[in-house]
Structures are given as C-alpha cells and as structure tokens.
C-alpha cells in the first residue's frame, strides 16, 4: 500500500489534500457554531440553561461540546474507535482545543468499559485527553478512574435504564479532593455516565467537574 496519497474526504469522497475532511465538509460540520446549555451542552437557542438541567441539575457543573453527534461526526467517532485513529482524533483535538481553556487542575479521560477495552486495546477518550491536556497545560491522569466490570455497555440499554446501570460503576484512584477536574469523553448521549462519574468524583472531594466532549447527541425529536 502506498504510504502517502492525497486523501479522500471522509464524508464525501472529494479530494481533501492532507486533511481528513474537504473544506466544504469541514465548514458544514454539525453543531460547530451551536449555542448550547452550559451545563449539559444540549443545543439551546440563546445558550441558556436548558429545562432539563433547571428541573434536575446534573452532578457535573459544566459541559462543552465541539460538535453534534450527527453525520459525518458519528462515522468519524466510530472510525476513532475502530481503527483510523490518527486523522480523526487530530481533527477532534484541534476543535476541542479551540474552545476556551478549562479552569481546572486535573484532566481525566472517561474510562472505557472493561469488556470494550479488552476487545479494542485502547481507550479513545484517553487518546483525546492526552494531547488536550498538553494543549491546555494541565496534568492528565490516564488511570485515574477504574470502571466496574459489572455494568452493561450503555449503548445496549434504553435511555431510561442508563442511570441505574452505571450507578456505582466507577472507582477513583489517587487524590482528587479540592481539585477542579475536567473529564474528557467522545460522545455524550443522556449524560448518565458522565453524571455518575461526576457524582463519584465529588463524593471523594473533587471541587468541581467539567466535561469536555467531542460530540453531543441532539435532543430526540
Ligand atoms: Zn467532503
Ligand atoms: Zn442542560
């Protein structure tokens, strides 16, 4: 296989030079300029706190998302998980690093479900957290959280069962008391997993928890 060829755009197949997306598809990335709820990052016309967060405030304090989880971002996230890691992760890191630098003390990647980690061999959230922490000038603890074997992967479950499924799923190793923590993950759907992780971090003393994610699943309907 030739080592260097002009790339084809991941989304439309047009020539894209050395980039993963052509100019047009990059400009059209879904959700890039979206106003979002500052707590859960769901699209909100004026960037105000959404009704769901007002009714029932999540245990995390803030979430910033670079994109919406829609075509071609969904396919790129899958590519990140199953192979073509470098090009997609570089683009995601650039977009996430373009958002304001978090005021925080420690970066933690969302740990992968153990069965997934065994199958895949790497954690895509850690692949994002490491270069992001470097860009932010913050320390990263790649093994700062362990995930219980007993929970089922969230994707297999209906939305309303997800919160119960992840309860007690995480163990924090190392001290986080008094620290402002940034959690890096690829996709936020219901937010149940991130909320449980934030709850766990605060239970052992984290001062605040902010999520930085590649893509937010748009509200259904
Ligand atoms: Zn394209
Ligand atoms: Zn919200």
């Amino acid at each position: 296989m030739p080592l260097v060829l002009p790339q084809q755009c991941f989304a439309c197949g047009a020539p894209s030079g050395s980039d993963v997306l052509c100019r047009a598809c990059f400009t059209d990335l879904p959700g890039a300029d979206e106003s979002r709820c500052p707590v859960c990052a769901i699209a909100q016309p004026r960037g105000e706190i959404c009704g769901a967060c007002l009714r029932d405030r999540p245990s995390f304090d803030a979430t910033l998302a670079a994109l919406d989880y829609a075509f071609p971002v969904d396919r790129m996230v899958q590519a990140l998980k199953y192979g073509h890691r470098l090009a997609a992760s570089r683009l995601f890191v650039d977009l996430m690093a373009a958002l304001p630098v978090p005021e925080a003390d420690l970066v933690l990647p969302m740990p992968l479900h153990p069965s997934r980690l065994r199958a895949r061999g790497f954690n895509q959230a850690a692949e994002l957290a490491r270069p992001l922490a470097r860009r932010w000038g913050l320390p990263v603890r790649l093994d700062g959280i362990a995930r219980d074997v007993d929970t089922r992967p969230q994707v297999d479950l209906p939305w309303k069962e997800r919160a119960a499924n992840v309860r007690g799923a995480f163990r924090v190793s190392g001290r986080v008391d008094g620290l402002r923590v940034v959690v890096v993950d690829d996709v936020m759907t219901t937010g149940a997993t991130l909320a449980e992780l934030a709850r766990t971090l605060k239970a052992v003393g984290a001062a605040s928890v902010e999520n930085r994610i590649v893509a937010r699943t748009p509200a259904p309907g």
Side-chain angles (χ1 to χ4, degrees):
M1 222 168 61
L3 281 177
V4 181
L5 272 181
Q7 289 203 50
Q8 288 188 309
C9 171
F10 187 89
C12 77
S16 59
S18 59
D19 296 321
V20 63
L21 294 175
C22 72
R23 196 70 229 165
C25 289
F26 178 79
T27 308
D28 280 352
L29 276 172
D33 298 315
E34 198 84 78
S35 296
R36 298 177 183 278
C37 170
V39 179
C40 76
I42 202 79
Q44 279 290 91
R46 288 179 300 282
E48 69 276 31
I49 295 181
C50 75
C53 289
L54 282 175
R55 274 193 305 278
D56 187 11
R57 188 60 75 99
S59 41
F60 45 76
D61 300 281
T63 304
L64 260 65
L67 299 166
D68 278 337
Y69 193 63
F71 183 83
V73 177
D74 50 358
R75 301 263 298 273
M76 293 170 70
V77 168
Q78 294 306 313
L80 183 70
K81 290 177 179 172
Y82 301 107
H84 321 280
R85 287 154 56 182
L86 204 59
S89 83
R90 200 182 292 139
L91 175 66
F92 289 153
V93 167
D94 284 345
L95 291 170
M96 293 168 89
L99 299 170
V101 176
E103 291 182 24
D105 307 297
L106 178 65
V107 179
L108 295 174
M110 172 64 76
L112 197 61
H113 196 275
S115 62
R116 295 285 166 98
L117 186 57
R118 261 197 311 280
R120 202 177 292 160
F122 70 99
N123 175 5
Q124 74 280 1
E127 304 281 312
L128 299 167
R130 197 177 0 220
L132 274 172
R134 203 180 310 130
R135 301 270 277 269
W136 291 331
L138 293 171
V140 59
R141 204 183 284 162
L142 294 176
D143 57 353
I145 313 157
R147 191 154 176 171
D148 221 303
V149 182
D150 293 336
T151 62
R152 289 165 60 195
Q154 292 288 84
V155 68
D156 298 343
L157 294 172
W159 281 27
K160 59 181 192 302
E161 289 176 27
R162 291 185 178 192
N165 179 55
V166 291
R167 200 153 295 141
F170 299 108
R171 310 267 175 280
V172 180
S173 54
R175 296 173 63 99
V176 297
D177 51 303
L179 298 185
R180 299 164 301 173
V181 176
V182 182
V183 174
V184 173
D185 202 2
D186 53 359
V187 180
M188 176 172 176
T189 303
T190 66
T193 308
L194 286 160
E196 176 60 17
L197 178 51
R199 193 191 65 74
T200 307
L201 285 164
K202 287 184 171 178
V204 292
S208 63
V209 178
E210 174 173 348
N211 306 313
R212 295 297 179 110
I213 57 174
V214 173
R216 179 69 158 100
T217 301

